[in-house]
Amino acid sequence: MSRASVSSVIKGQPSPIANPNPRSVFSVVRQKVTTRHGWLGDYDYRWLCLPSLPTARRKQPPFYGIDDELPLVLALTSGLQHALAMLAGLIAPPIILASSLMLDSDTSSYMISASLIGSGILSLVQLSRIKLWGRYYLGTGLLSVVGTSFSTVSTAIAIFNAMYANGTCPSTTAADGTITRGPCPDAYGMVLGTSLICAVVEIGLSFLPPRVLRRIFPPLVTGIFILMIGSALVGSSGIANWGGGSNGCQLRPTSGIYQLCPTVGSPHALPWGSPQFIGLGFLSFVSIILTEIFGSPFLKNASIIVGLAVGCIVAGATGYIDGSTITSAPVITFLWAHRFKINVYPPAILPMMVVYVSVAMDSIGDITASAELSSIQGGVLSDGIGGIISALFTVTPLGVFAQNNGVISVTRCASRTAGRWCCVFLIIFGSLGKLSGLFLAIPNPVLGGVTTFLFASVAVSGLRVLSYVKYTRRDRFILAAALSFGVGDLIMPGIFTHLFDGVKNPSSGLQGLFQSITILLSTPYLISGIVALALNLILPQDTPQQDEDDEDMEVGRDLEI
C-alpha cells in the first residue's frame, strides 16, 4: 500500500488516438516474434539488470505510457517484476489466516494458490475499462492490479478470536489454563460468506461522485486507516512470527504442543524469542536493506522475495525447513480444488462492512496516486464486484495494490501490456501447487522478518497520506481522538473484551450485536477509522483566520515545551 510519486508521469500521458492504419493481429504477432526490435526494442536492459552503487548516476530509460507497445522481453520482464513485487503481499494473508485457524497444510497451500489465481484473474478486470452506461465504467483502464487486502487480515483474526471464545470453533483448555485451538475451516467459510454479502457496500460507494468520495474520505481519514492497519499487523503477526510463531507459542505455555515454536514436533523447535529465530528473521531483514542499496532496479522491485529467498536458503541449510508441505502439495492445482462451506456469521457483518469501506478508501488513494479522479468510479466498482467474485473463488476481499506504482516509477513502464503479463504470471504461480507448498514451508522467523518490513511499509504509507493534511486545530483534534482508541487497542488489546459481561441472559440477536461491537472495538484500525470518519463529518471546518491564530498559539506552546 505504499504510494510512489508517479502521478505526474502518468497523468501527463495523452489520450489514446485511433491508429489510422490498423494492422491485423497476425501482422503484429509476426513483427513481434520475427524481428529484433519486436523482441528487444530500444530499452536499456543493462540499466534494469546490472547492480548499482549508491553513488552511481545512470541515465534512465524512456517512459512507456498506458497504451504504448512494448517489446516482448520488456513486457515479460516488467510483468514479472509486478508479479514479484506483489508476491509477498499475496501469500502472507492466507498463511496468517490459515495459521489462525490451525488449518492443515493441504488446505493452507490451496489458500495460497487461490489468492494468487484470484488476484491474477480479477486484476485483468481492473486493467480494463469496460463502459457500462452513462458515465459509469468497470475497471480503471490503468496498470492497476488487485490483491488480498491487508485490512481483511486483522478483522478476520478478531472474528476468529470471537468464534473460538464463544465455542463456534473448537478449543481445549489444559489444567494449567493453556488453551489449544482446533482446526476450524468453517470459520473461513463464514468470513467468505459474510464478505460476499457485504461487498454491496463498496458497490454502492462506487456510484457516488468521485469528489463526494474524496470529501467523505479525505487524507486525514484514509491515512489513519492505513497507519493503523500496518501497525496492528506488525504487532499481531510480523514480530510474533519473527520470534518463532503467532499460533500460541508466543505465549510460551508450560504444556501442550506450543511449548516450542512452531510446535514441539517441528524441525529445530525452540522457545519463542530464541536467538536462532531472531537471527534468521534479521538475516532476511538485512537482505532487503542490502538489495535496496546495491541491487539492480529489477532486484529492488523484488527485494521482499530476495529477503525470503536468502532466509530460506540459510534456514534450509541449517535444518529449519519442514519439506512435508512441499511433498504433500499437488503438482498442479486451481480454484475449487478445496472448498469451504459458505455461510454468514451475523456478528461479522458490521465489521466486514467497515472493511469494504476501508478497501474503497485504500483504492481511492492508490488510484489517485497514478490517475485522475475519473478513474476512481470504475476502480471502486471493480473492487466491489471483485469482492463477490473473490468470495466465490474462496479468497478474502481484494483491493487495489499500490506496489505496482513503485515498479512503474523504477522501470518507467506503465503499459497495460506489462500488467496483463503480470496477471499471467500470477495465475501460473498459483496453478503450480508445489510452489504454494514451498511458500507454506517458509519458516516463521523468515516470514516474520520480511512481513514486519512489509507491514511497516503499510504504516509508512499511512504516514505519507497524513503528510497531505494541513494539521489545523480541527485535524489535530480528529487525529488525537482516533489514535486514542487505535493506539490504546494496540497497547492493551483486551480492554473491550469484557464490555458486555454484565448483561445477564441476552437474546441470541443481542448477543450477536454485542460480539459485533466487541470486534469493532477490538480491531485498532476499525475503531480509529470509525472515530476519524465520524468526527470528520461532524466537526465544522475551521475558517482561515482560525487556522492562523491556532497555528501561532500551537507554535508558541511547542516552543515553551
Side-chain angles (χ1 to χ4, degrees), residues 266-290:
S266 302
H268 270 279
L270 295 166
W272 188 84
S274 296
Q276 295 92 325
F277 288 157
I278 303 298
L280 270 179
F282 185 73
L283 176 64
S284 299
F285 195 92
V286 169
S287 298
I288 297 173
I289 297 173
L290 293 178

Side-chain angles (χ1 to χ4, degrees), residues 496-544:
F496 298 114
T497 304
H498 306 288
L499 188 63
F500 299 106
D501 285 358
V503 180
K504 304 298 182 182
N505 303 317
S507 65
S508 58
L510 192 60
Q511 183 65 36
L513 177 62
F514 290 163
Q515 290 178 14
S516 183
I517 294 173
T518 302
I519 292 170
L520 282 175
L521 293 174
S522 302
T523 308
Y525 92 90
L526 289 181
I527 182 58
S528 58
I530 290 172
V531 170
L533 182 63
L535 290 179
N536 180 65
L537 295 174
I538 294 171
L539 293 180
Q541 295 288 340
D542 289 337
T543 63

Side-chain angles (χ1 to χ4, degrees), residues 87-98:
L87 199 56
L90 290 176
I91 68 173
I95 291 175
I96 295 169
L97 296 179

Side-chain angles (χ1 to χ4, degrees), residues 125-168:
V125 179
Q126 191 67 270
L127 287 166
S128 309
R129 186 165 171 79
I130 304 168
K131 186 173 179 61
L132 301 177
W133 67 87
R135 56 188 176 85
Y136 297 110
Y137 293 84
L138 178 65
T140 62
L142 305 168
L143 206 172
S144 298
V145 290
V146 299
T148 308
S149 173
F150 288 136
S151 60
T152 310
V153 177
S154 55
T155 306
I157 291 174
I159 294 170
F160 297 155
N161 290 339
M163 289 182 179
Y164 277 105
N166 63 24
T168 304

Side-chain angles (χ1 to χ4, degrees), residues 470 472 541-552:
K470 293 181 180 179
T472 62
Q541 295 288 340
D542 289 337
T543 63
Q545 185 60 45
Q546 279 180 316
D547 290 347
E548 269 185 45
D549 295 343
D550 290 340
E551 186 175 351
D552 291 341

Side-chain angles (χ1 to χ4, degrees), residues 166-316:
N166 63 24
T168 304
C169 290
S171 62
T172 58
T173 304
D176 61 355
T178 302
I179 298 175
T180 302
R181 293 181 172 184
C184 192
D186 288 350
Y188 187 69
M190 291 181 187
V191 167
L192 293 178
T194 308
S195 69
L196 189 151
I197 64 171
C198 292
V200 296
V201 172
E202 190 170 8
I203 294 174
L205 288 174
S206 71
F207 291 102
L208 293 177
R211 296 190 184 280
V212 173
L213 288 174
R214 294 281 289 175
R215 197 174 305 127
I216 298 174
F217 306 122
L220 176 62
V221 176
T222 306
I224 290 172
F225 261 96
I226 299 172
L227 172 63
M228 296 312 301
I229 288 171
S231 301
L233 288 174
V234 167
S236 64
S237 177
I239 284 293
N241 280 317
W242 190 336
S246 59
N247 56 356
C249 68
Q250 75 272 25
L251 303 175
R252 298 186 71 136
T254 57
S255 64
I257 63 172
Y258 300 119
Q259 291 182 72
L260 302 178
C261 288
T263 63
V264 292
S266 302
H268 270 279
L270 295 166
W272 188 84
S274 296
Q276 295 92 325
F277 288 157
I278 303 298
L280 270 179
F282 185 73
L283 176 64
S284 299
F285 195 92
V286 169
S287 298
I288 297 173
I289 297 173
L290 293 178
T291 303
E292 183 65 27
I293 297 173
F294 299 107
S296 65
F298 185 95
L299 284 180
K300 287 180 180 180
N301 289 327
S303 60
I304 300 293
I305 301 302
V306 173
L308 285 174
V310 171
C312 285
I313 290 171
V314 175

